[in-house]
Every structure is written in C-alpha cells, then in structure tokens.
Amino acid sequence: MVAEKTGYPVEMLNLDMGLDSDLGVDSIKRVEIMAALRAQLPDAPEIKPEHLGALQTLRQVVAFLTPGPGAAQPAVVSAQPAVIAEAPAAAVLSSPELQRQTVRPMPLAEGETRPPVGLNPGARLWITDDGGELAVEIERQLRAAGYVACRRSLAQFLEEKQLPDGLLILWPAGPANETFLKAAFRLLQTAAAGLRKAGGLLVSVSRLDGVFGFGQLNGKSDPISGGLAGLVKTARHEWPEVRCKAIDLDPGLGLGPEVARRIVAEMFLAGPVEVGLAEGRCYRLQVEPSPAAGGEGKLALNPGDLVVVTGGARGITAEATLELARLCRPSLALLGRTRLAETEPAWLANLATESEIKKALAARPEQGGQGGSGANGGRSLKQIEAAYREVMAQREIRAYLERIRATGASVVYRSLDVRRLEDLKPALAEFKKQFGPVRGLIHGAGVLADRRIEDKTGEQFELVYGTKVAGLQNLLAAVAADDLKLLALFSSYTGRFGRTGQVDYAAANEVLNKLAQSESRRRPHCRVVSFNWGPWNGGMVSDGLRKVFAAEGIGLIEPEAGAQFFVRELARQTEPAVEVLALGRLPKSSEAIEPEIPPVMNAAFEREVSVPAMPCLESHVLNGHSVLPTVLMIEWLAHAALHGNPGMLFQGFDRFKVLKGLVLDAGKPAFVSLLAGDGKAVPEGVRVPVQLVSRADGRQILHARADILLADALPAAPAARAWPARSGVAAASPYTDGRLFHGPHFHAIEALEACSPAEVAALVSPAPAPKLWLRDPLRPGWLADPLALDASFQMLILWSWEYRQAGSLPCAIQSYRQFVPAYPKAGSRVVARITSGDTPVIVADLEFQDRQGRLLAQAEGCESVVDAALKEAFQRNRI
C-alpha cells in the first residue's frame, strides 16, 4: 500500500480520501492527489501524462504506485560475514559532521504581553483530580470565570459521554507511576473528538522542578510525570486546531490558590508549548546549538569492564557500541529480542538470495515456526516471511558479534525481553559472575508502532512505551548496587519535539530524558547522557523518507559519525549535559538545523467564501463549481501574518502549498479561518507560519499553508533578466478557445509575447481595487497583485497545452520575493522560465517586471500539476 511505501499512515499523506477506493476520481481531485503523492512518494514509479486517463480510481492510483510480484528484490546478506557490504552512503544528505544541541531553561521576559487564547463562555472543561487541594482550587477559579468545570478521576472521565471543550491533566499529588500516564493517553483518545470539534484546550501539569527537570529535582519530583509533555507535544502535531500546552510545576511552590491562579492564567495564554512555573518566574525551554566534543576527555571505562547493552546487536545502538569496543575493549553483554542459534543448518548456510532462502524454508516447515496450512509444505506465506526475517536478523547479529570480537573486546549475547524483570535479573547475575560488576549501561532497545492518537491501541502503546521505560526501570533496579561509570540512554528528538503518529514514543523518550536527569543527580560520579538522536542514514530510512527529512530541514546521521559522536559525548568534560540532541546536517550548511515543528497557530480572522461575498468567484469556475483562487489564498495568508505584526511590510513567502482546493458545493457558502503562528526573526526580517483552514463534520481541513516573510523595509530589487524575443504565439484569445477556464474578472493576459519550450511571457493587466472582487475587503489595496500572480498560472496552463497537450493547475511555490510595496497601476510584464517540463508536475521560475523592465517581484519553484482530463473541467466554467 502507499502508506507502507512511505512509512506513514494513509491519513498523513494529505490526500482527501473521502471517496471509496473504487469510486471515480474527477480531474480536480486527481490533480490534488498527484500533487500530494509527488511530495510523499518521490521514488514511486513516474506517473506520465499518458497514464492519467487510466488512473480513474484511488485503487488504480495505489495499484500503479505499488510494485507487484515481479518487482526487483533488494540485495540480502548471505550467511558468510565476509560478503557483507556496508550500505552506500546517501550523498544527497550525507555529512560527517553532526550538530549538537542542548536545552536551557530561559525566563519569559517580565512584562511580556502574550495574546490570550480563550474558549466561549460556558465551555466545558475537564480537570483530572490530583487527590489534593490544587484541582479543587483550579475548579473553583474556572467556575468563577464562567466555565463549566468538572473535576473527576481519570477512570470516571473515561466513562463520560458528554465530551469536553478543554482538558487539564494534573499529575497526582501523591505517589503515581506509568499507570497514570497510560490512563492519560486513553483520556486523550476519549476527549479527542470534543477537543477537536471545539478547537479547544489541552493542558498538562507535571511536577518535576518548574523547569522540566533541568533544575534541582529535589527528590519530591516524579520523572514519569515528564511523559505528559510527550503526549501534549504529539497532540500539538496531530491536532493543530487544539491549543496544546505542557506546564511543569515546582513542587516546592505548594498547592494554594496562588499556584492555581498561575496555572489557570497560563492555560489561556499563547506562547511556548512548554512553560515552567517556578518561584516568581515563568520559564520556557530553549534549544541551543552547542559545540560538539573534540578529542578532549577520557572514557571512564577500563579494559574488561562489564557494559550491559540493550538493543545493541543491530541498528544504531550496535554502531555506537562497536566504537566503544574499539576504544575501551570492555566486556559486552548484549541483550536483544531476536533468538540466536549458534550456527545455521548446512542446508541454509550457502543460500544468499531471498527467493532461495524462502524456497528452502517452504520445503522445511519445521524451521522458523509451527502450524499453518497451505501449499508451502503446510505453512502459510506469512509464516515463511516471518521465518525469512528471523534468518536475516540472526545473520546480522552473528556478523556483528564477529566485528566486536575483532576489536579485542569480549562479548556475549542473550535473547530476552527487558520488560520481564524475572528474566533480566538471572541473566545479569550470570554476567556479573563471569565479568564482575556492571560498570556501564547502554539502553538502546526500542520499537515503533506509528498510529495517530485516536487510532493507536493500548497494546501498541504498551509495547512502545514499555520497551523504553519498563526496560530501563528494570535495568536500573538490577544494577542499583553497582558503581556505574557511564549510563547512556538512546532517546529521540521525537521526545523533545513530538511527532505525528508517535505519541507513545514521544512520551517514552521524554520519560527516559527525565530518568536520566534524576540518575545524574543520584550518581554524581557517573557520566549520564540521554541522546536525543535525529534520524540515522540506514535501516528504515528509505530514499523517499530521506527526501521527506530533507524537506523538513533535517539531515541524516551517518553511522560512523554518530558512533564517534556517542563516544566523544560520553568522554566530554567541558560543558557536559544530560539531555543532548544530535542531528545530521544538510550538505553545505553551517547553520543550526532544527526539526520542523508545527507551530502553535492562533486565529487571525475568518472569511466567508461565496459568490455573494466574493463576486469574482463567478469567473473562477471549474467543473461547474466555484473554486477559491490560489492567489486569494496567498493574499489572505499574507494578511494573517500582518495581523499580529502591525506596521511591517509584506516581503514574500516560502513553501506555499495548496493541500486541498476549496470548492463550493451547490452554491453553499463556506467559511475559512486564517491562522498565524508566532513570528521568528530571520536575516531577511520576520518569518510567520500561516494556514488557511475550514471545518466540516467536526474536523479541521487544512487547505493551504506558507511561511510569510515580513520586513521593516523592502530590499532593493536586483536587475531584471532580458525580456524574451517574441516567438510561438497563437493568434486566438486564450479566453475564447477553451484553453483557459477563467471568466472576465480574471482576464489578465493582454498580449502573449513569447511561448517556447524554455519560457512563456506576457503583458498583463493590473488587479482592480479589492472592493470590485470582494464584498468586504480587508484593505483598500492589495498586498501583492492577485491578477498578475494568476496571470503567471494562466501562462503555465497555456505552456502545458502547447507542449504537453494537457491543462494544468498550480499546487505550490517554493519562494516569492516582492521588492515594491504595491504593483504599478499600469500593469506589468510576466515571464515564466521552465526549469522542469517533462514530468507530471511542471516547475518554473517567475519574474514580474513593470512596463519599463524594472523588477517588481520574483518567484522560484512554482509547481503546476498536468492532467489531460482537465480539458472537460475547463469547459464547464459556468456555475
């Protein structure tokens, strides 16, 4: 399936799968799907124009993109370690240098004004009872403010039928454990529909030290409560319409009315997703670049010291452990879940290819599993696949053990589940008897079961969370009496930032981070590090995911570089930190790379989309329905950014993308909200993330997004390129011969002056005053010129008809920069230079000039999806 090819659930592909998989897909819908698939499946088979007519259903699209039985099989590892080859590095993202980041609590500026975020009077708020006075006082204050506040236990809320508009999860005042955290996850699932429908509030309160474990951790705190922030930060990704915030409370503040007042006040303020409440101050967490360790420092281990490693026989933990073995030659006890026979049977040892191995397994049903039925020696294809994977995993482990022994280190491997303390204790006792006390502990075990919050099962959450947290707790209990010299935990940047589909993984890794903070206080002479790794190059990261990470600004960690970073960080003596983020760098980049974090979005304004409210929609009709023009999406997104930044100038935007067109249904009005996040200072000015959304059937629909660039003053325009020579121009008007669907409001092209395989150019009219297009315009003048921008899209449609014999529709613009506060009233000249014209998505760069040839604006990476079936939709251009 497509979801399996990307590694993401179907709902993450930005496809509106409201249709049954066998129902027909109209041309407009197919354009949206192709645009989304281009972004999510860059390595899928190319969809050429001649294919589009045959891809009439979603099932046909999926079938086309999914390789069949005859697809080439990947190379496999043979039984002999000598033929194992290292995977080639991916040059597109490879960089040996890692970026080290640390986290520092920073006080929020005193007197800083943060905009309020509120709920309607009478909104229903759930408060989990903490068993103390705090919940009682918060309930009283919320009721006094006019809300319907309900305080109950988690278990009682799980049975509640009337869903909330807001949810406050308080960590218990008394003893608690991961049972409460898991119940909090189930409560998120219960409350999800209510919170999302209301565009409500989700707030958690942990009790660490008022700065999320980066302070004193005076013994009154519970590290497990840190997992609440992981839940909230993931919900922030999956539920952008819900205002999400994690609060950490200093237990020393007490539980009186003043603390309740501060929590209630913070609930209804915009700002950071994580806010700490300490004595007299509020804190946020700031991620800062920090110099990576050089050659200074010395690892505390001596040759022969016993180091216990979970998850250390395969994957990234194995690479890091191997580097440690090279430097220290310790005694390694590796714990994993894969069963390992000492040798392979003779009938299997010389087989190398997947087909050979599976054929042999099918002929020997006693190997690799029991039961089943079918035509393969009494075993099912599923059982054969499982047996094959077990064979390959065992080969990988054997090869790795030989690499460890080649360093001079001793190594043993034991298959067990670290979640089972009754299995772990005797194994560690055996290791200690053989090698002496445990001196190092590396916890790298982990599994994934990605699903969105509402879709994740309790068993999946337990598996992911338990492998990380219960495994570590068991290990720490088993080595409580050992004088550890190093403790290394493999966490993830998912814990720091959250990530869609990984609520359990985020919560588990945040707990790991806080357990590391606690252990560092308890073991002052032990080097404790929780490595918040970014993605590594290899393993489950396919070429397609590499490009997804690149689009998010995230480089991959090369195994060798990650292993060296690991040992150097453990040996670090200057500015040691407990929670350390390690990220790869994109090529030729010296700036800090931060993961893409969905911003907190606040409503700037709302607009009605209808023909009465927007008369210009009569001239923008596809397939018999009015469609909101892309250029008006851009204009409104720019206004949303300026809403919270008065006095600044619109300079342009980056990463504009149409995710779902807004099509009016039978003349019914639609209502959209324009959302804006907090501005971030960049060298060019201030960058503001913005979104255009609507609501339907209780869910929020994201139609378009961009990063708007604002500035105090516009930069000087560079020199414009030479105007192309007149060539290849058809005599007929593009508005009368069926090539364009645009009605009178959008008759922008005055004269088409050039149309060649490399470029298309035209003289275009200026946009009229906004009041002639819109009943209630936001300003008396335009920020850009929507008619000039739309003319550029029309020119690309004409180019695609000329050279691809098909129409096209715009879907994305990588960047746009404007050098004047307003376009001239005399009109402009536009030239589109084609940079990629032979794929399903044509790409062009644009220049907008005044009639004298001076540069007004320029755009790069303008994408339009080509689809021959648009011809019929273009012809039906009347409501």
Side-chain angles (χ1 to χ4, degrees), residues 727-728 754-760 799 802-803 832-837 843:
S727 64
C755 187
S756 70
E759 57 195 359
V760 56
W799 186 94
E802 182 70 20
Y803 295 102
R833 295 181 172 88
I834 310 302
T835 59
S836 176
V843 186

Side-chain angles (χ1 to χ4, degrees), residues 60 291 534 605 658 661 690 701 738:
Q60 289 168 343
F605 55 86
V658 178
V690 289
I701 300 171

Side-chain angles (χ1 to χ4, degrees), residues 352-542:
T353 68
E354 181 177 350
S355 60
E356 290 175 337
I357 295 170
K358 287 183 175 180
K359 184 177 180 179
L361 290 170
R364 293 174 177 265
E366 73 279 2
Q367 299 293 329
Q370 301 295 325
S373 61
N376 299 289
R379 301 177 53 211
S380 69
L381 293 176
K382 183 176 180 180
Q383 289 173 320
I384 294 172
E385 178 65 27
Y388 168 75
R389 293 183 182 276
E390 184 175 350
V391 168
M392 301 311 297
Q394 290 189 11
R395 288 185 176 186
E396 184 180 352
I397 293 172
R398 290 192 195 96
Y400 176 70
L401 295 178
E402 289 303 315
R403 293 171 69 193
I404 289 284
R405 295 186 181 106
T407 69
S410 302
V411 61
V412 293
Y413 175 84
R414 178 68 59 86
S415 173
L416 56 82
D417 186 345
V418 292
R419 295 178 298 170
R420 294 174 53 85
L421 185 59
E422 61 271 28
D423 295 338
L424 180 62
K425 276 189 172 180
L428 290 187
E430 182 182 331
F431 298 149
K432 291 181 184 182
K433 184 176 180 180
Q434 183 177 356
F435 299 113
V438 178
R439 293 293 181 238
L441 184 60
I442 301 173
H443 183 46
V447 296
L448 292 175
D450 288 8
R451 294 291 188 277
R452 287 179 176 262
I453 291 171
E454 294 95 321
D455 301 326
K456 193 177 293 285
T457 66
E459 292 76 14
Q460 290 167 339
F461 190 98
E462 173 61 37
L463 174 64
V464 175
Y465 179 88
T467 301
K468 282 282 185 187
V469 178
L472 176 60
Q473 291 173 319
N474 288 342
L475 288 164
L476 291 175
V479 301
D482 293 272
D483 184 16
L484 295 182
K485 298 177 181 179
L486 65 84
L487 172 60
L489 309 181
F490 277 44
S491 183
S492 168
Y493 80 107
T494 292
R496 168 93 325 263
F497 299 111
R499 192 168 183 86
T500 296
Q502 296 188 344
V503 64
D504 40 15
Y505 200 60
N509 282 301
E510 271 291 68
V511 172
L512 251 62
N513 289 335
K514 305 318 166 189
L515 285 171
Q517 295 282 8
S518 179
E519 287 295 309
S520 72
R521 275 65 160 188
R522 197 171 75 85
R523 301 175 182 266
H525 302 295
C526 175
R527 179 70 176 113
V528 181
V529 185
S530 185
F531 291 89
N532 286 232
W533 296 111
W536 286 55
N537 184 20
M540 295 181 291
V541 179
S542 64

Side-chain angles (χ1 to χ4, degrees), residues 14 55 100 124 154 172 429 453 528 581 814 834:
N14 287 329
L55 300 179
R100 180 182 190 262
R124 185 176 180 83
L154 272 172
I453 291 171
V528 181
L581 283 77
Q814 185 62 29
I834 310 302

Side-chain angles (χ1 to χ4, degrees), residues 3 22 29 185 188 196 201 225 242 271 300 345 385 447 460 652 875:
D22 281 322
K29 175 71 68 177
F185 159 69
L188 285 190
R196 301 189 71 176
L201 294 175
S225 72
V242 177
E385 178 65 27
V447 296
Q460 290 167 339
Q875 291 173 345

